């Protein structure tokens, strides 16, 4: 297939581009490089530096490229920033997606896979989370992703869009061959921060609360390997029929606490990784993990990385080889 990947220079997008290229698809990345990295883009994919909200750019690309489908990753994703600057998030994530959808409609492109999130569930009524639980996000970031899901559902009904929303849990890890990995600025995610402690770049990891109603008191999340995420994107775009909206939870189905992540990282790195309990972070639900059985049943997909240590091993390999992330690559 000829595929457009928005945000294909970002963390999940770049791993997905590799998966698509390896499967024989022809890929064009559209990224404004506000957060993505050129070095993360597979050399067999082409890229365009631009914004999804630039309708003139989309109008020049679509007729020439003749895309069969779009994988839409481009978005702002910092929850805290979304609370401080909600309109920045609504403009980029929602308004930008609407421009992309209008271009797809007008150029007759009827297949889309969308990066959604378990944040659309907010604080779920129970775990594991199933797809038909109420979606009541508790922050602007989650609300922008839910708003786009609604635009996809309504577009499926109105003009025949085929759309698959993949609701990720916690994307983690790096490419198994060490080629690409995770590099956010500033970094706020647990696993890269823990590995920065192991590299001696930080003195300790802060545990955001140890008084949650969980077995060890720390928050439980479902860490899904980025290559497993890439695989389900490929399966979703290859199998997406026009005119249908589908949504899947994308997780391992296994919850892992903050303390369990830190303990596993100690084993993998051999570093003591000092941890300091600090106050809860606002807006953190105690437990989020997926029931991924719908994706297994309907798409034949399930996570291959099922042990947090193997996820951490891939991330550790990347962080050791690239202690400054992509900056070395950019600086030659
Ligand atoms: N967390 C933590 N210390 C940190 C960063 C994160 O204890 O320095 C916790 C956070 O409260 C959450 C889990 O680790 O329970 C995963 O957080 P992350 O930011 O990686 O992903 P999120 O679940 O927010 O998408």
């Amino acid at each position: 297939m000829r595929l457009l990947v928005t945000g294909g220079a970002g963390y999940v997008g770049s791993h997905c581009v590799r998966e698509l290229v390896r499967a024989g698809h022809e890929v064009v990345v559209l990224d404004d490089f506000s957060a993505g990295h050129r070095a993360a883009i597979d050399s067999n994919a082409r890229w365009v530096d631009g914004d999804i909200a630039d309708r003139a750019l989309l109008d020049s690309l679509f007729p020439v490229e003749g895309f069969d489908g779009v994988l839409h990753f481009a978005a702002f994703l910092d929850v805290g920033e979304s609370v401080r600057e909600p309109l920045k998030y609504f403009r980029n994530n929602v308004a930008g997606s609407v421009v992309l959808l209008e271009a797809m409609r007008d150029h007759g492109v009827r297949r889309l896979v969308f990066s959604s999130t378990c944040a659309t569930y907010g604080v779920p009524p129970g775990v594991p989370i199933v797809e038909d639980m109420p979606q009541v996000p508790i922050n602007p970031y989650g609300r922008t992703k839910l708003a786009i899901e609604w635009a996809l559902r309504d577009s499926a009904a109105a003009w025949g869009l085929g759309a698959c929303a993949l609701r990720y849990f916690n994307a983690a890890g790096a490419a198994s061959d060490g080629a690409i990995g995770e590099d956010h600025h500033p970094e706020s995610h647990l696993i890269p921060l823990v590995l920065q402690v192991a590299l001696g770049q930080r003195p300790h990891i802060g545990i955001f609360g140890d008084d949650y109603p969980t077995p060890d008191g720390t928050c439980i999340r479902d860490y899904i390997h980025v290559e497993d995420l890439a695989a389900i994107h490929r399966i979703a775009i290859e199998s997406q029929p026009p005119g249908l909206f589908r949504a899947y939870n994308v997780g391992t189905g296994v919850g892992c606490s903050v303390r369990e992540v830190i303990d596993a990282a100690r084993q993998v790195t051999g570093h003591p990784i000092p941890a300091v309990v600090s106050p809860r972070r606002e807006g953190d639900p105690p437990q989020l993990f997926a029931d991924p059985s719908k994706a297994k049943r309907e798409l034949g997909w399930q996570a291959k990385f099922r042990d947090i240590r193997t996820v951490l091993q891939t991330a550790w390999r990347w962080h050791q080889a690239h202690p400054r992330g992509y900056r070395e690559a950019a600086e030659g």
Side-chain angles (χ1 to χ4, degrees):
M1 297 170 85
R2 299 168 71 89
L3 298 170
L4 176 67
V5 180
T6 76
Y11 171 43
V12 182
S14 60
H15 287 80
C16 193
V17 167
R18 288 188 99 205
E19 166 86 19
L20 294 168
V21 163
R22 283 177 180 181
H25 297 297
E26 196 179 320
V27 173
V28 176
V29 168
L30 174 61
D31 202 296
D32 68 0
F33 298 101
S34 58
H37 309 276
R38 276 199 183 98
I41 301 176
D42 189 281
S43 58
N44 292 305
R46 286 178 291 135
W47 55 267
V48 175
D49 185 346
D51 189 338
I52 53 167
D54 183 345
R55 181 61 200 259
L57 174 63
L58 298 177
D59 284 341
S60 68
L61 268 182
F62 274 72
V64 177
E65 299 290 348
F67 295 122
D68 300 301
V70 176
L71 296 105
H72 179 31
F73 295 90
F76 293 151
L77 47 71
D78 182 321
V79 171
E81 186 185 47
S82 80
V83 174
R84 294 189 300 275
E85 296 187 67
L87 298 182
K88 176 175 170 182
Y89 277 65
F90 278 87
R91 171 177 289 280
N92 185 61
N93 295 3
V94 181
S97 296
V98 170
V99 176
L100 177 67
L101 287 170
E102 286 171 339
M104 290 179 67
R105 180 196 60 198
D106 296 348
H107 293 283
V109 182
R110 297 280 184 272
R111 284 193 195 88
L112 178 83
V113 174
F114 171 59
S115 296
S116 191
T117 167
C118 67
T120 58
Y121 295 108
V123 182
V127 280
I129 299 174
V130 288
E131 285 82 354
D132 54 8
M133 279 181 176
Q135 287 178 286
V136 191
I138 57 169
N139 55 58
Y141 165 71
R143 283 189 276 271
T144 65
K145 291 287 184 173
L146 182 56
I148 299 162
E149 282 201 18
W150 280 109
L152 302 182
R153 277 177 210 271
D154 291 338
S155 294
W159 54 272
L161 176 70
C164 183
L166 296 178
R167 297 178 187 150
Y168 314 164
F169 284 67
N170 288 55
S176 311
D177 65 1
I180 55 175
E182 183 171 14
D183 182 13
H184 297 115
H185 295 282
E187 189 52 75
S188 65
H189 294 96
L190 178 65
I191 290 177
L193 290 174
V194 165
L195 297 180
Q196 286 175 5
V197 178
L199 283 172
Q201 296 174 346
R202 293 174 189 268
H204 56 76
I205 182 74
I207 295 175
F208 295 155
D210 69 348
D211 55 354
Y212 283 97
T214 60
D216 69 16
T218 66
C219 286
I220 291 176
R221 295 289 180 270
D222 184 339
Y223 295 90
I224 177 75
H225 195 270
V226 68
E227 288 183 335
D228 282 326
L229 273 177
I232 196 172
H233 283 80
R234 179 184 53 73
I235 295 166
I237 196 71
E238 288 173 351
S239 64
Q240 182 62 43
L244 181 73
F245 175 83
R246 317 185 283 178
Y248 298 98
N249 285 342
V250 189
T252 63
V254 178
C256 191
S257 75
V258 173
R259 280 204 195 279
E260 285 170 337
V261 170
I262 297 169
D263 281 341
R266 288 175 178 138
Q267 289 175 37
V268 166
T269 64
H271 188 283
I273 310 184
V276 175
V277 176
S278 54
R280 289 183 178 196
R281 184 171 70 178
E282 207 184 321
D284 265 342
Q287 290 203 60
L288 296 173
F289 58 92
D291 176 343
S293 55
K294 185 181 176 198
K296 185 176 180 192
R297 208 169 47 245
E298 295 187 7
L299 300 180
W301 173 91
Q302 63 181 329
K304 292 195 173 119
F305 287 83
R306 308 195 66 82
D307 181 337
I308 189 68
R309 280 169 303 193
T310 53
V311 173
L312 284 163
Q313 271 157 5
T314 63
W316 181 228
R317 180 174 174 184
W318 158 260
H319 281 271
Q320 277 184 301
H322 303 87
R324 299 178 65 234
Y326 285 106
R327 271 174 289 180
E328 278 97 355
E331 288 160 15

